[in-house]
Amino acid sequence: MYCLEVNGDFACFTRPEMKVERVSYDVMTPSSARAVFESILWKPAIRWHIDKIEVLKPIRWVSIRRNEVGAVISVRNAQEAMNKGTGCLGLNIEDERQQRGGLFLRDVTYRIHAHFELQPNAGENNPSAKFLDMFERRVEKGQCVNQPYLGCREFACDFRLVDSAQLQTDPVAETRDLGWMLYDMDYSNATDPQPRFFRAALQDGVLRVPAWSSEEVRG
């Protein structure tokens, strides 16, 4: 098991039930935590699993209005460009700009505890020790595939590897029911991925994440 400490000025773990305005969950979601580990080391042969998330700073909110693009490039235009070998796939930001409000988290710090498992298609030439060495080497040097972020790409975060046996900062002394939280997307059917949720609860500043295959995780 590895433990990463991540921190940032802002974070937004968007609730999927909010259709227009962005509203964050109170705490980092397992899928966002997994993305942090994958940004440091991602390989088709391994799958990261989040065990628990510790909240190290009080949950604080900030309301911000910002500009967003309100459209995406159409699939038809993309297909025509692929078939013809030419085409316009750009969007005019001035025409598609929308101003939306958002309720975000601010000044956040988390400790993420995770482990990985080899996938069935990993093969015999992919021992776990190899990936362990790769992850430790990359995280110690601050290397990453892409910049880790907290929910939204514009909310970049810093990260460092910590020894879970020698933790110095205790989680916040807060206990609350967080309601149903997005766990991750189920890609069993690649053409129609489905969200899966679990009943989240913060206990003395710790969000414990059930196993993906447990009865607590529902579609």
Side-chain angles (χ1 to χ4, degrees):
M1 182 181 294
Y2 286 109
C3 179
L4 282 182
E5 183 175 299
V6 298
N7 65 85
D9 296 329
F10 299 99
C12 180
F13 311 108
T14 307
R15 290 179 175 270
E17 65 267 25
M18 302 300 180
K19 301 301 183 181
V20 179
E21 309 293 340
R22 289 185 183 272
V23 178
S24 176
Y25 283 109
D26 297 33
V27 177
M28 181 183 230
T29 61
S31 57
S32 295
R34 175 181 56 80
V36 172
F37 277 85
E38 289 183 344
S39 68
I40 299 171
L41 177 65
W42 180 88
K43 294 290 182 182
I46 65 174
R47 169 77 177 183
W48 287 102
H49 294 279
I50 307 301
D51 297 291
K52 65 179 180 180
I53 301 171
E54 296 178 297
V55 182
L56 302 186
K57 289 187 177 181
I59 299 173
R60 303 168 67 188
W61 300 90
V62 60
S63 180
I64 299 176
R65 295 192 67 84
R66 60 181 184 167
N67 293 327
E68 296 186 7
V69 177
V72 296
I73 299 172
S74 70
V75 176
R76 175 178 293 181
N77 289 347
Q79 290 175 339
E80 290 180 355
M82 292 173 63
N83 294 332
K84 296 179 180 179
T86 182
C88 180
L89 297 179
L91 284 176
N92 189 334
I93 296 178
E94 298 299 330
D95 295 336
E96 303 296 342
R97 178 179 290 138
Q98 298 179 358
Q99 190 175 74
R100 296 182 179 180
L103 187 60
F104 307 143
L105 298 167
R106 63 187 179 97
D107 191 22
V108 299
T109 302
Y110 303 106
R111 272 199 305 258
I112 312 170
H113 299 256
H115 69 279
F116 72 78
E117 65 177 6
L118 293 177
Q119 296 300 288
N121 59 352
E124 297 180 357
N125 296 325
N126 286 300
S128 297
K130 178 178 71 174
F131 297 113
L132 294 173
D133 292 339
M134 291 173 62
F135 179 78
E136 292 175 1
R137 183 173 64 253
R138 291 180 62 82
V139 74
E140 288 175 358
K141 293 181 178 180
Q143 296 176 331
C144 51
V145 180
N146 56 268
Q147 177 62 45
Y149 55 90
L150 300 173
C152 295
R153 289 191 179 274
E154 58 265 41
F155 299 149
C157 68
D158 297 323
F159 64 90
R160 68 184 184 96
L161 185 65
V162 296
D163 187 351
S164 58
Q166 299 178 354
L167 300 179
Q168 299 178 350
T169 304
D170 294 329
V172 295
E174 185 170 351
T175 298
R176 67 167 75 174
D177 182 8
L178 301 176
W180 289 99
M181 176 181 284
L182 176 67
Y183 189 110
D184 213 325
M185 299 297 293
D186 185 359
Y187 290 95
S188 299
N189 182 357
T191 61
D192 186 26
Q194 296 294 319
R196 301 188 69 182
F197 299 84
F198 75 108
R199 188 76 182 191
L202 196 65
Q203 185 69 37
D204 294 327
V206 179
L207 171 63
R208 299 193 179 277
V209 181
W212 174 258
S213 58
S214 70
E215 296 181 354
E216 299 177 56
V217 181
R218 305 179 184 180

